[in-house]
Every structure is written in structure tokens, then in C-alpha cells.
Amino acid sequence: MSRRISPVIPGFGLTLGYTLVYLSLLVLIPLGALFLKTTQLSWEQFIAVIGAPRVLAALRLSFGTALLAAVLNGVIGTLLAWVLVRYRFPGRKLIEAMIDLPFALPTAVAGIALAALYAPAGPVGRIATELGFKIAYTPLGITLALTFVTLPFVVRTLQPVLADIPREVEEAASCLGAKPWQVFRHVLLPALLPAWLTGFALAFARGVGEYGSVIFIAGNMPMKTEILPLLIMVKLDQYDYAGATAIGVLMLVVSFLLLLLINLLQRRISTP
Amino acid sequence: MSSLTLTAASSAQAIRRSRTWGRRLLIAGAWLVFALFLLLPLLVVLAEALKQGFGTFFSALLEPDALAALKLTLIAVGISVPLNMLFGVAAAWCVSKYEFRGKSLLVTLIDLPFSVSPVIAGLIYVLMFGAQGWFGPWLREHDIQIVFAVPGIVLATLFVTVPFVARELIPLMQEQGTQEEEAARLLGANGWQMFWHVTLPNIRWGLIYGVVLCTARAMGEFGAVSVVSGHIRGVTNTLPLHVEILYNEYNHVAAFSVASLLLLLALFILLLKQWSERHVNANRGE
Amino acid sequence: MSIRRFALATLASAFIAAPALAATEILNVSYDPTRELYQAFNAAFNKHWQAEGHEPVTVQQSHGGSGKQARAVIDGLRADVVTLALAGDIDELHKLGNLIPEDWQSRLPDASTPYTSTIVFLVRKGNPKGIEDWDDLVKPGVEVITPNPKTSGGARWNFLAAWAFAQQKYGSEEQAKAFVEKLYKNVPVLDTGARGSTITFVNNQIGDVLLAWENEAFLALKEQGGEHFEIVAPSLSILAEPPVAVVDKNVEKKGTRAVAEAYLNYLYSEEGQRIAAQNFYRPRNEKVAAEFASQFPPLKLVTIDGAFGGWKQAQPKFFNDGGVFDQIYQAQ
């Protein structure tokens, strides 16, 4: 059933066994409880919960803003990773150290801080209001909050890979007459793509489920700025466990499929 | 490292210089992103915390409920980080050193806690161990409290931080391949010796980084812990929950003071990581 | 490696410093705006309890949205007493958790509601938008701040107060619904809890008027000083009745029934009533009410039982999935 890359390295059974047991106890069985709770609903009831206009609107909002935030991170994350790995400049160490701040900052604190920042009375919000648009309590605010929370993913997955690509390879390509774009397209992109996709997928998946940092800035208006995790909370507060878990299961399945897809894609790319 | 690479590098320097404008633009862009997305929120937190000077700042931190919250946070971190570190090494080992069917599935499962909404992460343990849950009646009979008590908080923290170490190590170990380990084995090292003397030094970088992330996240988790906490003041409140409570009590300055304590802890850990990184790099250079 | 030593040290310090347990402890699970009330009341009760010759008692507090708190108790949070925003949430302790008998509300005086409150408007100083009554809230350009009735008990009282006003003024249910729909069109942010809304209005300075518990509005005035806000009492509001109950299953298990019952009874004592009034809750005790009469503006109030047939009818009709509140938002 298993095929080792190298027959001389020991520990396959031990590590795989440990991994599976640990994952099962902590993640899989509890998630199973979630699925089991949903089976209290008949198929028709499940569809009715999921198909309710409010749920669909939240679904669109959560996945839409998370996707947008992940794309945004794909761009600025690549920029940051590139600059941090390739250049030496004043403040580099500071930026390098602070990239992980969004992971370290409790999401609730992030939410409070971002709300203070982007609210119409806040420093950034005021400028936006003068320019004629609103950030807080709109999907734009949610996207920005999600971009903040998931910022480290792309940077941190790209950095080690970027550092491992010998600069000489690019330089050799340049010496041989390749234009910067060609260097990027033919040398860097293939090497970076798996890591980039991983970072993108993680940012996206995390964004879909994010709660603490978003509720303060979302406005929570049904049909407009109400995110899926909030809807779960709303259902729970009405003692509607089955309805809450139904939404939870839906989110889980979609996220799982996305992650699986990306992992498969990544393996195809990395093993030509 | 030989003279060959050196000459290659110096001949390429001309090209590099011709690209300074692009480089400056990119650096400026990075600074802008950094200032807007990272520095600004940080400054907001610190500014709010110090609004009334250091006196109120410190008194907010030394208040008994804040200390109790700190203690609980440290317990959660102290249990979940070592466990997830062990798991991360084991998982990365079997994923990166071997080929087997279902590997993609396994990697996806390891990532899964990232993508599970914190709200659900808390909810699943309530469904298992709550009074209405699978084990609820049995636990009640034996007077064991899991959710709305410390064990539940530890479980929720464990769950949300499962992938961090594994996520860091898998790409690193895949990149490094298995040649060095194979060489060690051929030279007569047993499995543990190989691990301690070859693998571990190679992955130290990533391991430390993963542990740092894991610690930071464990300290800061809010959503999942909030669902299983019960919010009993001084008993089941972690630092992030304490921040929320203070914020809700019109105690803005205290809320942001505790928040900045978390922030400083996190920055301290990040510094630790920077330091060890340099340490590791210096060792490598020898 | 220093990381390992660091981890060990953390772990060790965490275990050594486990919290010490007091002799008697009871847990009061309450809703959002009662934090200040119970902080004062717990200290007074402890004094009273010791004066009666008992061991000191530690009252632990937990606060949050009313529905969320009820759910936590149902799911196993071991509350000795619950003091929540509305009777509907405590009913669920019986229905879903079987933790208390069905007739819990008749066990204490005044339908187990030792203090009441109502819904008033908090506006910015000088009342720049000229808000005097519910009618002013549906005018174009007025921003109203209220929490989400799905998650907040206080918000449900807000909703019903607006409904009661419209029904009385315009007569029919359809018109009441149209009125409330117009009102919620003026709401830019729906926070999940009453405190969240207060902070949105007071600290983030969003909106022209906050629909708030009377006690919450007074507290905001007290915290922020009177120079930024003022309270406007509408022509008609609702009598908000936040009830209390001993959680039988839990106190029997923990052996704390005597102290839990004494705790709730003390809320009805003159001293308890006075503390409630000092924290801007309307006391039931007539003597104390007279003492604080100048504090609370006289208001025309409808009751949940009189106008809506109690929570058992109001909850499903207005707030459950597909109820009036959902219809309002899906129509938009």
C-alpha cells in the first residue's frame, strides 16, 4: 500500500500512525460530531437551510470577500516576500519581524483596532469619507480585515522557496539574454507556483471562516454584510443546533474540497 | 562555495545595478503595504493603551483578573505548543520522506483546522462534551467538566494550532530531500541518531518558526475559545477574552493595555525567532 | 535549544500557579449590561451573608448575550443562578436542558423579575436631529443604532417597543410592520449585543440615536459625562422585564441551593433594590422606587404579556427564522 522514496529511512509506521491517531482524536472525530448533528435534518430540510436567501447572501459574501482578500494577498504577499528575500534595505529586519503580527494579534483586538481605524471617524475612514466612499460596514471593510488577518500566509510560504532558488539561475538566464518577464515566467514562476498556491489557498480558507476580526467592521446587516460564521452564531443563539451545524458542514465541505484541489494541483506541478 | 559562483555573481552585478529603479519601486511598495496594513493597526493599539499614561497601563495588567487570564493563556500555550510540535515533526516526516496513497488527503486533513471557522472549532467540542453532547451525561455523572472549563479551552487551542508546525516543516523537508539522511544511515547511524544529528539541525529553522507561529496563535485565539469558555471572570477567561470583557465594560484603556501586552508578548517571541535564526545561520556559515 | 527550556518554563509556571479555590462559590450567569450592577450587588450580598453567620461566598460572574448565555448553561456551564435579559431565554433552560421546572417564573415575586427597565433613546448633545419620538426615527437621513434582535435580548425589546408604538398609533399590524421596516432601513450597523451597539454609538460615533436599555443609556451618560449625550424618553415604550432563576439541577449537584436562593432573595431586599436603582434599574420595591422617583422619567409602558401575549408567542412570530424580522430584511 505504501511506497517509500527511500527504503533506508525508518519511522514510516511510527510517524504515520502517530499522525493519524492525533488527527483523529483532535480533529476528525469532533468534526464527525458536527456531521452527525446535521443528520438530524432530512435532506430536504438541509437544502431548505442552505438555500434560504439569507444564507445564500452570506455564502456569496464570505466566499467573495475571502477570495478577493486572497487575491490581494497573492499580489502584495509576493511583493513582500520578494523584497524581503532579495533586497537589503533600511527597515528590512523590522518588516521581516512584523509580518507575523496578524497571526499574533488576537483577532478580536485586530477587529477593534481595524474598526477604530476604518470607521468614518477614524484616521483612514475620514479620508475615505472625504473621497466619497465607505470602508467600515461594507464588503470592502470585510475584505480589508480579511487581508490583514491572512497577510502572513503567502509571504511565509513563498519566502523559504524564494530563498532556496539560487540567484545564479536567474542571473544565468539574464546573461543568456532573457528579459525580466521571461526570467519570471520560465525560471521563477514554476518554482514558486506550488508555494504560492498553498499560501493562496490557506489565506482563502482562513478568510472564509474568520470571525473575531470581521464582526466589528462588518456591520452585520442581513443580506448585505452578514458573514457565514456570524450566521452560525445567530442560529446557535436561537437554539437551532441543526441549522447551525448545517451551515458549518457546508463551509467545511467547500473548504475541504478547495484545499484538496490545491494540494493535488500542487503535487502535479511539483512532480512533473 | 567556490570561485566559480563568485565570478558568476560579479558578472551579474552589472545587470543588477541597471535594475535599481525597479528595486527601489518594489521596496517602496513593500514599505507602503507594511505601513498601511501592519504598522497602523499596531500603532492604534499602542496609542489607545497609553492614552492615560503608563500608570493606568500597568495597573490594568496587574489586576488579579488580568493575571488569572494570563495564567490560563500560558497553560493553554504550554500544553498545546509542545503537543503540536511533536505532531508537526511526525506528520512532516511521514509526508515528506515517503510516498503513499492518500498523501494529498492527509496533507489536506492537516490543513483542515486552518479552514475550519473558529466558531465551528469551538462548537464541535460543545457537541462532544457539552451537557447535550455525546459524552455529556457520562461526564456529568463522573463530575468531569471539559467545556466551560480549562480542558475545553486547551482543546480548542490545540485544534486551531494543529497545522502550524507541520505546515512549516512539510515544504522545507520536501525541498531538502532524503540524501543526507540516507548518507547518515549508510554511515551506520540508527534512526534516532540520524534524526538528532542530521534531520533536526536541518529543520531547526522551520521548526522554530512553526513553534513561534503556533505560540503566537495559541495566545491570541479568540473565536474558538470564546465558544467553549463560559466567560467566568478570573476563572475561564484567557487574555483575548479578557480584552473583550474590558472593552465591553467601557474600560477602553485597560482593554487596549491587555491587548498590547499580548502584542508585546508576540513581538518578543518574534524577536526570539529573529535571534535564533541568526544563530542558526551563523552556525551554518562556519 | 533555548526554545525547549522556554516551553518547559512556561509549562511549569502555568501549573504551579493554578487558581486557588474559595470555600463557597456560586456562579451567576448574566447578560451584557448587568456587569456593573452585579459587581456592586455581589459585594453587598457577601457582607449580608457573612453577617448572617455564614462562611464568605465568592460569586463568580459571566456576562454575554442573553441567548448565548442561556445556551452555555444548557450545554453545561454550571450556573447556580441565571439573571438574563428575557424570560424566553430562561424558558429554554426548562425546554432544552430540563434544568429547571416549567413554573420557574412563579417561584419568586413579580414573576421572578426583581427589577425592570425600559427602552429609551440616547441622542447626541443638543439633539441635533430633533429626535423626540419613534416617528422621528423613520425620517430619511436619521441613523439609528440598535443591535441584532436575533442575537441580542435588548434588541428584541427595542423591536417590540417600536412595534407597540406603531400599532397603537397606526392601528393595523401591516402598518406596524411597514413602520418597523422603515426604521430598520435607517440602521447602518447591527451589532451582536447591546454593549456592542453602545460602543458603536458612543466610542465610534456612528449614528444619530441609540435605542438602548434605560440603564445602559444612563450608564453611558455616567461613563462619558453628560456633555456628549442626552436621553430622550419616547411617548410609549415597553416594560423590559429581565428575570432571574436558580438552576435547580446545578445547585443540587453542587449543594449550593441555600446560598443561591438567598442570593436571589436578597435582590428583593431593600438593600438589593437600592443597588439596582443606583445602577439605573427600576426597582420593584415601592419605598425604594419612591426614593429614586426623580431619576426615572414617568413613561407610558406596554408589557410583553399585555401587548404580545408573552415571549412564547412573540419569539416565534417576530424573531425565529422566517419571522417578521427576517421578512423585513428579505423584502429589502
Side-chain angles (χ1 to χ4, degrees):
Chain A
M1 121 129 215
S2 73
R3 181 172 62 84
R4 300 175 178 191
I5 295 173
S6 145
V8 291
I9 294 181
F12 177 71
L14 179 71
T15 54
L16 184 67
Y18 180 71
T19 303
L20 288 178
V21 169
Y22 190 87
L23 267 184
S24 305
L25 284 181
L26 203 62
V27 179
L28 299 181
I29 294 174
L31 285 177
L34 186 75
F35 278 87
L36 208 75
K37 196 82 188 174
T38 318
T39 55
Q40 286 182 353
L41 295 174
S42 71
W43 187 242
E44 287 76 27
Q45 284 170 315
F46 181 80
I47 295 294
V49 171
I50 301 301
R54 238 178 111 190
V55 177
L56 288 179
L59 200 72
R60 259 197 306 275
L61 181 74
S62 273
F63 281 90
T65 49
L67 188 69
L68 213 60
V71 169
L72 208 58
N73 267 327
V75 177
I76 59 178
T78 312
L79 170 76
L80 282 171
W82 177 265
V83 167
L84 287 175
V85 170
R86 285 300 156 95
Y87 304 141
R88 297 291 171 272
F89 59 94
R92 192 190 78 94
K93 286 229 169 72
L94 180 72
I95 299 185
E96 164 75 38
M98 295 264 296
I99 289 287
D100 296 312
L101 183 73
F103 280 157
L105 201 63
T107 52
V109 176
I112 293 166
L114 292 173
L117 211 57
Y118 293 128
V124 177
R126 205 174 306 144
I127 300 171
T129 314
E130 266 168 37
L131 295 175
F133 63 99
K134 264 177 73 182
I135 300 177
Y137 317 118
T138 66
L140 178 64
I142 301 175
T143 310
L144 282 179
L146 292 180
T147 310
F148 172 79
V149 173
T150 56
L151 187 68
F153 281 111
V154 174
V155 184
R156 290 312 191 196
T157 43
L158 278 187
Q159 256 182 326
V161 184
L162 208 51
D164 274 352
I165 301 174
R167 205 180 275 212
E168 290 76 19
V169 177
E170 288 159 61
E171 278 156 4
S174 299
C175 288
L176 294 170
K179 302 212 165 56
W181 164 249
Q182 286 173 316
V183 175
F184 181 75
R185 168 75 185 77
H186 294 288
V187 180
L188 292 176
L189 197 64
L192 290 183
L193 200 60
W196 191 87
L197 278 176
T198 307
F200 178 87
L202 290 177
F204 177 66
R206 172 81 202 275
V208 170
E210 180 53 27
Y211 178 73
S213 63
V214 178
I215 47 164
F216 292 97
I217 202 172
N220 309 328
M221 308 292 288
M223 310 294 292
K224 283 180 202 145
T225 53
E226 188 177 50
I227 54 167
L228 273 179
L230 175 67
L231 211 53
I232 294 180
M233 280 299 211
V234 169
K235 295 243 180 235
L236 282 177
D237 286 355
Q238 295 173 102
Y239 316 102
D240 183 6
Y241 284 75
T245 51
I247 299 176
V249 162
L250 176 76
M251 284 175 75
L252 205 64
V253 168
V254 175
S255 297
F256 178 78
L257 288 179
L258 273 168
L259 284 179
L260 188 65
L261 190 78
I262 300 269
N263 274 328
L264 285 171
L265 204 69
Q266 197 185 321
R267 259 156 59 86
R268 178 170 297 177
I269 295 167
S270 60
T271 51
Chain B
M1 296 281 136
S2 62
S3 55
L4 195 77
T5 39
L6 277 178
T7 37
S10 65
S11 78
Q13 244 162 25
I15 301 163
R16 231 179 284 161
R17 228 173 279 129
S18 74
R19 284 202 218 135
T20 30
W21 62 272
R23 170 193 163 146
R24 281 196 188 133
L25 203 71
L26 288 178
I27 291 174
W31 258 104
L32 189 73
V33 167
F34 169 71
L36 274 181
F37 276 95
L38 295 174
L39 213 51
L40 221 51
L42 174 80
L43 291 180
V44 166
V45 173
L46 288 179
E48 293 283 333
L50 294 174
K51 232 180 195 168
Q52 291 167 11
F54 282 94
T56 30
F57 176 78
F58 284 114
S59 65
L61 299 186
L62 295 175
E63 189 231 350
D65 286 340
L67 290 178
L70 176 66
K71 227 175 286 165
L72 184 57
T73 297
L74 289 181
I75 290 176
V77 169
I79 296 175
S80 55
V81 171
L83 283 177
N84 279 333
M85 186 169 86
L86 215 62
F87 165 77
V89 172
W93 186 268
C94 70
V95 166
S96 61
K97 305 287 180 200
Y98 310 98
E99 272 310 317
F100 54 90
R101 215 178 298 159
K103 194 156 120 176
S104 284
L105 186 72
L106 183 65
V107 174
T108 309
L109 286 178
I110 294 171
D111 281 344
L112 199 58
F114 268 143
S115 66
V116 173
S117 177
V119 174
I120 299 175
L123 177 63
I124 53 177
Y125 291 111
V126 174
L127 291 179
M128 296 256 298
F129 302 117
Q132 314 281 312
W134 285 359
F135 303 112
W138 186 87
L139 288 171
R140 197 180 167 89
E141 219 158 89
H142 293 78
D143 222 16
I144 303 168
Q145 185 91 356
I146 291 189
V147 286
F148 310 116
V150 177
I153 290 167
V154 171
L155 275 176
T157 310
L158 265 175
F159 182 94
V160 292
T161 53
V162 159
F164 280 90
V165 176
R167 250 293 133 212
E168 283 311 311
L169 290 185
I170 290 170
L172 189 70
M173 284 166 81
Q174 269 170 346
E175 194 87 3
Q176 283 170 350
T178 54
Q179 282 148 346
E180 285 186 47
E181 277 92 352
E182 278 165 27
R185 287 287 281 170
L186 290 176
L187 291 171
N190 69 29
W192 287 112
Q193 285 170 327
M194 176 200 72
F195 177 75
W196 279 111
H197 298 294
V198 179
T199 312
L200 203 57
N202 275 340
I203 62 168
R204 207 146 58 157
W205 226 88
L207 185 62
I208 291 171
Y209 182 62
V211 166
V212 164
L213 276 188
C214 191
T215 309
R217 179 95 160 94
M219 281 192 328
E221 177 51 29
F222 174 75
V225 171
S226 162
V227 176
V228 296
S229 145
H231 303 275
I232 308 168
R233 242 194 126 116
V235 181
T236 59
N237 274 327
T238 60
L239 277 182
L241 297 178
H242 192 59
V243 171
E244 193 210 16
I245 286 191
L246 291 171
Y247 187 77
N248 279 338
E249 282 173 359
Y250 295 108
N251 217 336
H252 236 68
V253 173
F256 278 102
S257 299
V258 177
S260 53
L261 169 69
L262 277 166
L263 194 69
L264 294 177
L265 277 175
L267 288 177
F268 171 72
I269 295 178
L270 294 183
L271 272 180
L272 210 74
K273 175 219 152 206
Q274 289 290 87
W275 169 81
S276 55
E277 217 169 76
R278 206 173 316 145
H279 202 72
V280 173
N281 283 345
N283 279 351
R284 264 193 194 157
E286 270 164 24
Chain C
M1 188 68 265
S2 67
I3 260 294
R4 199 186 332 161
R5 206 173 303 154
F6 171 73
L8 283 176
T10 315
L11 198 64
S13 71
F15 277 115
I16 292 162
L21 292 175
T24 321
E25 283 180 344
I26 58 170
L27 172 60
N28 176 4
V29 171
S30 195
Y31 63 111
D32 252 330
T34 58
R35 295 161 199 267
E36 291 76 12
L37 164 66
Y38 281 109
Q39 217 168 2
F41 178 77
N42 290 348
F45 171 71
N46 203 358
K47 217 190 250 168
H48 159 80
W49 184 246
Q50 284 181 61
E52 281 193 337
H54 299 280
E55 289 289 303
V57 56
T58 309
V59 185
Q60 295 175 326
Q61 283 295 140
S62 167
H63 295 274
S66 188
K68 192 168 294 168
Q69 294 290 76
R71 186 166 50 76
V73 174
I74 293 167
D75 277 330
L77 180 60
R78 292 189 186 171
D80 299 88
V81 299
V82 287
T83 52
L84 295 178
L86 38 93
D89 285 330
I90 300 187
D91 279 335
E92 301 293 337
L93 295 192
H94 164 72
K95 252 181 21 210
L96 292 175
N98 200 21
L99 297 167
I100 54 173
E102 194 177 1
D103 64 344
W104 64 271
Q105 215 167 355
S106 62
R107 295 191 296 187
L108 285 167
D110 301 315
S112 290
T113 319
Y115 42 78
T116 65
S117 190
T118 183
I119 302 302
V120 295
F121 305 160
L122 190 69
V123 298
R124 304 205 180 274
K125 191 74 192 174
N127 199 356
K129 297 264 168 138
I131 291 157
E132 300 299 339
D133 206 351
W134 292 101
D135 273 328
D136 299 316
L137 302 186
V138 298
K139 287 182 182 157
V142 173
E143 284 195 333
V144 182
I145 304 297
T146 172
N148 189 337
K150 293 272 194 175
T151 46
S152 157
R156 268 171 254 173
W157 292 112
N158 291 349
F159 183 102
L160 293 179
W163 183 279
F165 167 84
Q167 196 165 20
Q168 201 149 89
K169 178 154 184 185
Y170 301 108
S172 77
E173 279 220 351
E174 283 71 45
Q175 275 157 318
K177 190 173 166 188
F179 179 86
V180 172
E181 189 174 335
K182 246 166 109 185
L183 196 158
Y184 276 87
K185 274 210 174 115
N186 280 349
V187 177
V189 187
L190 281 174
D191 285 285
T192 49
R195 265 299 152 84
S197 279
T198 312
I199 282 164
T200 298
F201 182 77
V202 171
N203 292 27
N204 295 343
Q205 293 170 32
I206 293 169
D208 302 304
V209 51
L210 171 75
L211 305 187
W213 293 92
E214 185 179 47
N215 53 289
E216 186 77 355
F218 273 117
L219 187 70
L221 275 192
K222 189 177 137 197
E223 292 289 329
Q224 300 291 324
E227 67 263 30
H228 299 301
F229 306 99
E230 50 190 76
I231 289 173
V232 172
S235 66
L236 178 100
S237 194
I238 193 163
L239 181 72
E241 296 168 284
V244 300
V246 167
V247 185
D248 299 72
K249 272 259 177 78
N250 289 347
V251 293
E252 270 150 31
K253 183 119 195 157
K254 289 158 86 173
T256 47
R257 180 178 280 285
V259 56
E261 279 176 352
Y263 181 78
L264 291 189
N265 280 324
Y266 194 61
L267 277 171
Y268 289 89
S269 74
E270 223 168 85
E271 179 61 20
Q273 291 283 293
R274 202 162 283 128
I275 291 171
Q278 279 158 0
N279 286 281
F280 313 112
Y281 285 86
R282 295 183 176 222
R284 290 282 196 186
N285 182 306
E286 274 166 24
K287 187 178 156 214
V288 179
E291 268 174 55
F292 286 86
S294 62
Q295 182 175 308
F296 301 106
L299 270 174
K300 214 173 112 199
L301 298 173
V302 299
T303 63
I304 178 81
D305 292 332
F308 298 96
W311 281 107
K312 284 193 178 72
Q313 287 185 33
Q315 176 68 32
K317 178 176 170 191
F318 292 102
F319 306 119
N320 279 6
D321 279 357
V324 173
F325 182 75
D326 279 355
Q327 293 162 24
I328 283 174
Y329 268 94
Q330 272 158 26
Q332 282 183 18

